[in-house]
Amino acid sequence: MKKLVQLMRLWLMKFWVPLTIVIVMLGTAVSLTVVLLHKQQITVQIPNLTLRKQKGVKSAPISVLKKGEHLQILKKSEGWYEVRREDESTGWVAGWLLHRQQPLKSVTPLSETTIVLDPGHGGSDVGSLSTNNKYEKTYTLQLAKRVAKQLRKTGARVIMTRNTDKIVYLAKIPKVAEDNHADMFISFHFDSSPDPNTATGYTSYYYHKDNGSYALAKSINAKLALPLLNKGVEYGNFLVIRDNSVPAILLENGYMNSNHDFKYIKSKAYQEKIAKAIPIGIQNYLTNQTKTAQ
């Protein structure tokens, strides 16, 4: 009997430990599979999201997703998700809108757009000076943040080349738009004249005419309607728009060394006026681009 008990113990020792390891590994594998499957599922949080044939706001729409729909994520690319619906149909949707919790007044092409904003200068590069030695870099950042806030209200995906007072080297700025597969790029600046108080006004610059940059500059310039002289849309050989492959513009929103202009530049009301006009200009640009493509 003792020998039998000893044999049973040996048998248990021989097989129990490996069996335990197998059970633990199986349990871990099942848990990991459940977690991975869960991560690939998502529920639509806001209504009327556009499902498109391919990724990108310019792709043809297929249908509209309803709030509460359960989707399976098949692929993620450039901020867009390829998803499968419960009826097994598939399409692409703006991933940032799928994760959005806050309601939108309406989902528009602007909501599905990725926009890079570039507050000119920063850090040791102070930009132009006002007559009382205020730095251009301060006001470009203030303005870009206000524009970003207004654009995000529409649902747009906004990426800033800088969020703080730091230098971003010129050669790297166009890459921000390209690396993030942006739909457009806007750089904010304030002008300066050789002699103080000899110039006034705002100008919208483009470099490439055939990639949408000229049309974007024209559309935004038409909606600015600022209390300064509108100098219109001009060709500008600036690196940040010249070396940019996406539709890219540079906005000079007044003269730093003009006392008349600077009182507006530093004004919250003036900056807000620009910030509220830009989304309207972009929306008009997108609408015109869609009409042209049809």
Side-chain angles (χ1 to χ4, degrees):
M1 186 68 179
K2 288 182 179 179
K3 286 184 178 182
L4 182 60
V5 171
Q6 287 176 348
L7 285 171
M8 289 291 290
R9 285 177 178 173
L10 288 171
W11 185 85
L12 286 171
M13 289 176 64
K14 184 177 180 180
F15 293 103
W16 179 250
V17 173
L19 185 60
T20 302
I21 293 172
V22 170
I23 292 171
V24 171
M25 290 178 66
L26 283 172
T28 303
V30 170
S31 298
L32 184 60
T33 301
V34 170
V35 170
L36 289 173
L37 286 173
H38 178 71
K39 284 186 176 180
Q40 295 304 307
Q41 302 288 331
I42 195 164
T43 302
V44 180
Q45 300 295 324
I46 57 178
N48 301 321
L49 297 188
T50 304
L51 188 70
R52 296 188 179 273
K53 189 173 183 179
Q54 300 292 337
K55 62 189 173 186
V57 66
K58 294 180 181 179
S59 176
I62 299 173
S63 61
V64 175
L65 300 175
K66 297 177 181 178
K67 182 178 180 180
E69 273 199 63
H70 301 294
L71 307 172
Q72 182 183 2
I73 300 171
L74 303 177
K75 189 186 298 183
K76 297 180 182 180
S77 179
E78 301 171 12
W80 287 73
Y81 291 178
E82 184 182 19
V83 297
R84 178 182 287 119
R85 304 175 80 176
E86 292 176 341
D87 64 2
E88 298 300 317
S89 63
T90 62
W92 289 82
V93 62
W96 59 93
L97 293 179
L98 278 180
H99 291 288
R100 186 181 177 92
Q101 300 292 326
Q102 296 174 319
L104 283 173
K105 288 183 179 179
S106 62
V107 178
T108 68
L110 178 53
S111 311
E112 303 171 272
T113 302
T114 297
I115 304 167
V116 170
L117 302 182
D118 173 46
H121 310 287
S124 59
D125 175 12
V126 301
S128 301
L129 296 178
S130 68
T131 57
N132 59 348
N133 293 318
K134 298 297 183 181
Y135 299 149
E136 179 187 358
K137 66 173 185 176
T138 302
Y139 302 98
T140 58
L141 184 58
Q142 286 179 3
L143 176 57
K145 284 183 174 181
R146 294 189 195 282
V147 175
K149 184 177 180 180
Q150 292 298 325
L151 286 172
R152 286 175 178 137
K153 285 182 181 180
T154 72
R157 178 186 180 215
V158 179
I159 297 164
M160 303 272 283
T161 59
R162 67 181 180 99
N163 286 292
T164 58
D165 181 19
K166 67 176 184 180
I167 189 168
V168 182
Y169 294 102
L170 283 178
K172 293 184 177 181
I173 291 174
K175 284 188 63 63
V176 176
E178 292 168 355
D179 291 347
N180 287 281
H181 304 278
D183 295 291
M184 63 191 68
F185 169 96
I186 304 174
S187 187
F188 297 97
H189 289 262
F190 296 101
D191 224 326
S192 183
S193 57
D195 297 308
N197 297 310
T198 57
T200 183
Y202 59 97
T203 312
S204 304
Y205 288 99
Y206 71 95
Y207 180 85
H208 300 285
K209 192 162 188 176
D210 297 332
N211 73 343
S213 299
Y214 173 74
L216 178 61
K218 190 176 178 181
S219 185
I220 288 179
N221 183 267
K223 289 300 175 182
L224 285 175
L226 303 176
L228 298 178
L229 173 67
N230 186 350
K231 301 175 81 170
V233 176
E234 298 286 346
Y235 168 84
N237 189 10
F238 303 108
L239 184 148
V240 294
I241 56 175
R242 183 187 69 227
D243 293 357
N244 219 316
S245 62
V246 309
I249 66 172
L250 186 147
L251 303 178
E252 295 276 13
N253 295 291
Y255 281 76
M256 282 291 294
N257 63 348
S258 161
N259 292 338
H260 173 263
D261 285 17
F262 185 66
K263 74 177 182 180
Y264 288 108
I265 289 169
K266 66 182 181 179
S267 160
K268 177 182 176 182
Y270 181 76
Q271 293 182 19
E272 284 291 341
K273 191 172 182 66
I274 297 171
K276 290 177 179 178
I278 284 177
I280 300 171
I282 293 174
Q283 185 65 66
N284 289 346
Y285 162 80
L286 292 170
T287 301
N288 291 333
Q289 290 292 105
T290 302
K291 289 178 180 178
T292 303
Q294 289 175 345

